[in-house]
Amino acid sequence: MLRRRLNRLFGGDEGRVHSRTIYVGHKSCPPNEAYIPPKFCDNRIVSSKYTVWNFLPKNLFEQFRRIANFYFLIIFLVQVIVDTPTSPVTSGLPLFFVITVTAVKQGYEDWLRHKADREVNEYRVSVLEDGRRIRKMSAKIKVGDIVEVEEDETFPCDLILLQSSRDDGTCFVTTASLDGESNHKTHYTVADLESDLQYLSATIECEQPQPDLYKFVGRMHIYRNSQEPDVRSLGPENLLLKGANLKNTQKICGVAVYTGMETKMALNYQGKSQKRSAVEKSINAFLLVYLFILVSKALVCTTLKYVWQSKHDETWYNEKTQKEKETNQYLKMFTDFLSFMVLFNFIIPVSMYVTVEMQKFLGSFFITWDKDFFDPEIQEGALVNTSDLNEELGQVEYIFTDKTGTLTQNNMEFIECCIDGFQYKHGDGSSELDGFCVTDGPVNKIQQKAGREREELFLRALCLCHTVQVKESTKQRQDQNDQFDQIDQVDGLGLDHGFLDPPQKEMGFIASSPDEIALVKGAMRYGFTFLGLESKNMKILNRNKDVETYELLHVLNFDPVRRRMSVMVRSKTGDILLFCKGADSSIFPQVRQEEVERIRMHVERNATEGYRTLCVAYKHLSAQEYARADADLREARLALQDREEKLMAVYNRVETDMILIGATAVEDQLQDEAAQTMEALQGAGMKVWVLTGDKMETAKSTCYACGLFKKNTELLELTLRTLEDGGRSREERLHDLLLEYHKKAVQDAPPVKLGITRSWSVAGHDYGFIIDGASLSMVLSSSSEPNSRRYKNLFLQICQNCTSVLCCRMAPLQKAQIVKLVKNSKGNPITLSIGDGANDVSMILEAHVGIGIKGKEGRQAVKNSDYAIPKLKHLKKLLLAHGHLYYVRIAHLVQYFFYKNLCFILPQFLYQFFCGYSQQPLYDAAYLTMYNICFTSMPILAYSLLEQHICIEVLLEHSTLYRDIAKNAMLRWKLFLYWTALGIFHGLVFFFGVRFLFSNPALQDNGQVFGNWSYGTIVFTVLVFTVTLKLALDTRHWTWINHFVIWGSLAFYVFFSFFWGGIIWPFLKHQRLYFVFANMLSSVSAWLVIILLILLSLLPEILLVVLRKPRGPHARQLAEGGLLQASRSLLSHHFPTST
Amino acid sequence: MVKEEQEESSNRPDNTAFTQQRLPAWQPILSASIVIPMFVLIGAAFIGVGVALFITSRDIQLQELDYTGDDSEHPCFKCRTNTEKCTCSMTFSIPTLFKGPVFFYYGLTNYFQNQRKYGASKDDNQLYGDLNYFTSPSTDCDPYTRDSKNMPIVPCGALANSMFNDTFTLSHTVNGVQKIVPLDGKGIAWWTDYNIKYRNPSITPLINAFNGTKKPTNWPKPIYELDTTDVYNNGFINQDFLVWMRRAALPDFRKLYRRITHDDYAAGLPAGNYTLTIAYNYPVHSFNGKKKVVLSNVSWMGGKNDFLGIAYIVVGSMCVVMSIVMLIVYARFKFGEDD
């Protein structure tokens, strides 16, 4: 994606320089020309956001860019400027607290970044200047400097490898900090350079910095004795990236090409785009409603105030000040409006944001802590990269899963091969293996075998055609003898035929894909062992224990478009061979056709069994052919622009007219409990789509194995094969098929009510849909615009009515396209992508929730995911238990928060009608401030962290429970209205209950009367108790923490009120609450009214709780299953079932 | 091996009840079998309390006398717009013994003591006896901070300035002779207001503390002359002043004026004819207010208030009715399940 965008930028902007020229060692080249040092940025890395000076303004600016903070700031400023009923402290204090905490947190994080930056920037590196080694700070490296790096050091900037201490001009690096891949990668020096870099006079021309880690094009001009300069091509294999570590190599020298913020690592350092959960969107919608309520309340009060004032002249006992009299009427109205806003602003509390953030942050720990997610194999548990999406896990409707490494283990095992159309199956027992090696002929089931020559050719091809490296330990490198020892060992082992014995294990292979290792190991079983690559020579040990050496001429790398790779080697005898392996569809067109049919049969059979198949072909190259290919390749590699396209063209030209020798079948085992997990997820109403780059047959068999397709599933296929049937143009056929499938799956299917997730009970009409990449791109980019939209809709509708969808032959970008398509379809369903490889990153980033599997294909997916789990089976608990609970918790948290602030502020609003709209607060400032911070915040936080309205086991057992909360069920407007109505009801009860009591304010038995602060305190006491007990009623899972916080909060309220009213506070202007609370408690009537109002408020709640129970079909099902308790707790919750 | 195990445990999540969300928990079930008896019990208790409250409230005697004088027939009509000192008297009769102790309230209607500006218009530091604030009162008191000659007003502010200044005498007609009923002005304000929150400056005589200050403009006499007979009822701790300074919650309110606890009237006001003589000073006509005098006795629940008793009975009955409804629903559901 990024690369494309950048390329577009590049292409579009002709005025920009396309390449930069670097003078190696800052020497003018050619020597006689004047040297103008070019300007590049220095090597200082700045990842920190702030400096000491700009921290305060910049941080504050950033914090107040958040709408909520800005709103609170405005309220605060209004309080400071305008004469408002509550002191600025009431809203300033919470805001100050929030801002300070955030600032401290961000400051600390930035300090850590500063520290890390300083460490990197002040790191001492060796730079060669005029033949001398100079120690320099890393930050001072300039482009063109020759830098020396020793083993295990990190490269300080992007370097072109000039010299390595290894004889073969290679070095090994690990790029764990860049892309998370911990395997060793080989990089090569620029060929044929002077051994003494001091005398090297060269320039490097390379592209401008760009973030793609795996792409680099450049050219090096080497000037020798004023001849025409030699030109060498530079590719990613010559480029050492900043952040990578040098391994297995004593030291290297390289010239800096990109420094500082222009290094690929720095360019890749970008924050991920923020994902927002559906709940957050609901919160914002509710917030708008409340903002509307707030503004209308203020407007109503302002209007009424002036209406009232027109009727009531200024009273003699409350005259206006001179200033007030002089103020403009409209200005007064405006300030009155602001005052009312301030008075009611508590309806949208700062603390809600804090509580929601805290809930998410703390709640995510339960995922990391869950020992069920711990995988003993990799010694890791789940990882939470963002806690913002916890609740989204409970809302998933579509799951897009990768196949390899996600549904399957990516644990490749060589199963069988087919040589010349004869099947060679590797037996289970070791005895057969014994026989295999001793008899020099693989046992085959069909009792036939190909010629020995063919066999060996095939096995050699397996041994040579790959990019596998042999992992060597440091010892071996230091002592060549050791290596021979090991060869001996292998040799010996080969004789013993026990390649699983411990010593053998030491000889590991490293490769970018596990298939290759499986193939190399497979060849080993048949007697051909790959010993490694040494200075462009590949060594293999053949069946006769002879070491054969091949000179590696070219590697034609794998790419997803060609879907094959080749190597060109020269054997001892001087023959030049090209070995090619790749997907059947990409090999068959490139080989002589006579062989194809026999092998195609095997390949297809293997594919339906769920194996990954590869075809192997070879070709003899004549000297002329090779010379031409060699020249073409070199030329293409030197190209600065469109190098990839040019290379591809050469590859395609070379890889033709080959001879097919055979095919391999590698099994990729299913993940543990893959089928059960899929069944549970489907039971939970989620649609599972498999998006894979694999071929259709393989993917289909995996789908069957996972239970995504069942026996009675009718498969609707939209692939190149079905498109090419019937002999009409693809476009027409596509049109027909789409219509046909649409009729079948959508129109003829029984109508389903809107809004309800389709249940699986549409049995009999169970459809599965298969589409491949080529067909998909036809659907998505049809020639005419109206057609394309129509096709898209048809496609979506078909897919949405199918239980499972399989998309095979997908390019990574297409995966993301599909996710985007579904994400933006009608109803905006919540999507989840799960994958383990770099090819899944795009869809992981695209989906609402991205899940990475800590698999074998590096850590790219994990790094870009929102959550990472070790295995697919953990997805079940993550969604069904954690997701469900988090959703219920946060939904309740949100509703409760709005509710409790509505019934908090409503009495204050009503009081305005009784105090001449004078903005008199009903509650004391301390209560206004503390209500959300102290008195009612902890119980809901504890609830939102600990609540299990249904216990985890039941949630896992009954996946259908997940459907109850689908489509944001607990935050629908209906429920929001219910909570709002409840809040209004409570507010009215609180206010008018006390209002009627105060019709005679003589409430004490000594005849003394209560004033306005007593009034407010009684209302407030009822309020605090009611909202807390309301939460207690909703709590289905009382741990000691819940008890502690709920009763503790109430006790704290009482204690605080005594304390607050018990002392004359010197810093207060008005001692409003002095002994008000204690006096209130001395009145029996106050006690009685408090008890009465609490009970009256909660009565409907209790009634609902009791009466709702007998409804709902789930209740009975579960009750029959002996889970009465769970059903009760489920149903006692607010409308979780669809109503 | 041991080391390996340690390493393993370092990465493995803690297996505690808390981290695994397996804390022992009580899962309350509000089943009908619990709720119905609970409701019946609560309902019964509420009805019981309600009946007790209702009876108590009914037994409280109340004598209300409106003396605003809006009606031209009213004896106080003449004082209504009179700015001069004016007294009027009303007679009323008490048919049966008015059980003591009897509390004497004055009541005002349509009087917004709960307005924000009005309520904030005072200086608590002044009232706490802090002399620094005598000379420079808080600006909260505007426009009652300083008089026209820019002298600081003590006590400043609208609240103090508007202190209720009607005075009453109650006389009992015994055998045709007017006998003054002694009114007790002690204990009408909150104990904490009288003893802690409000204080006189510790200067004797009190008048010296007020040098350089002015009395509130509406007051006929300065604060240190509110009750010259009793030092402990003078100045800021004058109980009438304290009662006034505790703002009423609603625009129609009553405040305690006196208690009748002395002499022959300790047991109550005997049946008979009484005359209430009012020194009519306080203007309420301008804002359509009403003034009244309320004589009432109190019970354990305070003054007369029918609301609580009725509310308790209603809520109690609701509980009982709900429990019956629930019983029916529950029974039906049970039968349904048996099918």
Side-chain angles (χ1 to χ4, degrees), chain A residues 556-557 559 561-562 564 590 628-629 632-633 636-637 642-656:
Chain A
L556 282 57
N557 279 323
D559 67 64
V561 182
R562 264 163 63 238
R564 58 179 181 260
Q590 311 280 355
R628 191 172 158 234
D632 287 350
L633 282 170
R637 281 196 184 133
D642 302 329
R643 180 182 286 178
E644 282 178 8
E645 288 76 8
K646 285 177 185 162
L647 271 176
M648 192 99 70
V650 180
Y651 289 166
N652 283 331
R653 203 158 57 233
V654 177
E655 290 165 340
T656 46

Side-chain angles (χ1 to χ4, degrees), chain A residues 1049-1084:
Chain A
S1049 288
L1050 294 179
F1052 174 75
Y1053 165 67
V1054 174
F1055 170 78
F1056 174 84
S1057 297
F1058 271 118
F1059 182 65
W1060 184 245
I1063 295 171
I1064 298 268
W1065 295 97
F1067 55 84
L1068 287 182
K1069 245 201 283 181
H1070 298 292
Q1071 310 291 337
R1072 297 153 154 182
L1073 279 203
Y1074 189 66
F1075 259 76
V1076 164
F1077 191 74
N1079 252 319
M1080 179 190 89
L1081 291 190
S1082 72
S1083 158
V1084 182

Side-chain angles (χ1 to χ4, degrees), chain A residues 446-462:
Chain A
I446 336 170
Q447 301 304 322
Q448 271 179 311
K449 50 185 182 179
R452 185 187 164 118
E453 208 169 298
R454 274 302 181 107
E455 253 175 58
E456 293 196 343
L457 185 66
F458 177 76
L459 293 173
R460 279 193 191 104
L462 289 190

Side-chain angles (χ1 to χ4, degrees), chain A residues 911 953 1007 1079 1085 1088 1125, chain B residues 11 22 27 105 190 249 301 312:
Chain A
Y911 192 56
E953 286 74 21
N1079 252 319
S1085 291
L1088 287 175
Q1125 183 184 323
Chain B
N11 228 342
R22 284 183 206 286
Q27 287 166 327
Y105 297 91
W190 285 20
M301 59 168 281
Y312 260 83

